[in-house]
Amino acid sequence: MNVHDRPATIFCDIDGTLVEHAHPNEAAKPRFKMKVLNGTIEKLLEWERKGYRLILTTGRKESMRRQTVRQLERAGIVYDILIMGFGSGPRYVINDKRPENGQSTAFAVNVDRNEGINGVKI
């Protein structure tokens, strides 16, 4: 079976990628409302229909989990797992290649801040 025939696992940042980037002090406010970027919901639902596993990542502190989960729910953002506390530094995905054919199993897609994921092809 080709690695590309299997459902993908997508690691996706929240702020500036799915929703408009907000200063951490603003996002920490109890009544803060995420501004979903154009095409985000449609793209996430497309990936969900394809059976992709969606893991959201964020630099938000773990202590903000409860309100972040509420904000994501109110925004209509679907996901499987939420990983918090990444910080703002560079992020790397390290994975092995398929031993039988040397196919890569990890890929990176960078989008411009606040431009969304609408044009991302997986």
Side-chain angles (χ1 to χ4, degrees):
M1 176 183 271
N2 185 315
V3 68
H4 298 287
D5 294 336
R6 297 179 184 166
T9 298
I10 299 172
F11 291 84
C12 191
D13 185 44
I14 297 171
D15 295 296
T17 306
L18 302 178
V19 301
E20 190 174 290
H21 188 270
H23 189 279
N25 291 342
E26 286 299 311
K29 292 180 179 177
R31 300 246 185 254
F32 175 76
K33 183 178 179 190
M34 292 178 165
K35 295 178 186 169
V36 179
L37 296 170
N38 288 336
T40 293
I41 301 300
E42 294 81 3
K43 182 59 76 171
L44 294 176
L45 292 175
E46 172 191 324
W47 290 341
E48 185 178 65
R49 282 191 302 275
K50 290 181 176 181
Y52 295 174
R53 188 166 173 86
L54 184 61
I55 301 172
L56 298 187
T57 62
T58 183
R60 294 176 183 211
K61 295 189 177 298
E62 183 64 39
S63 60
M64 292 180 60
R65 178 173 291 275
R66 187 178 312 150
Q67 67 196 86
T68 300
V69 167
R70 261 187 266 133
Q71 291 167 2
L72 291 166
E73 288 171 354
R74 284 194 307 254
I77 294 176
V78 297
Y79 63 94
D80 295 296
I81 297 172
L82 173 61
I83 302 175
M84 302 191 67
F86 265 77
S88 60
R91 298 164 187 186
Y92 298 90
V93 175
I94 301 172
N95 207 6
D96 63 325
K97 291 182 178 181
R98 305 275 305 171
E100 63 273 10
N101 58 16
Q103 278 186 308
S104 293
T105 58
F107 308 92
V109 177
N110 288 285
V111 298
D112 292 329
R113 181 174 278 179
N114 295 333
E115 292 299 316
I117 59 172
N118 193 35
V120 173
K121 305 275 190 254
I122 305 265

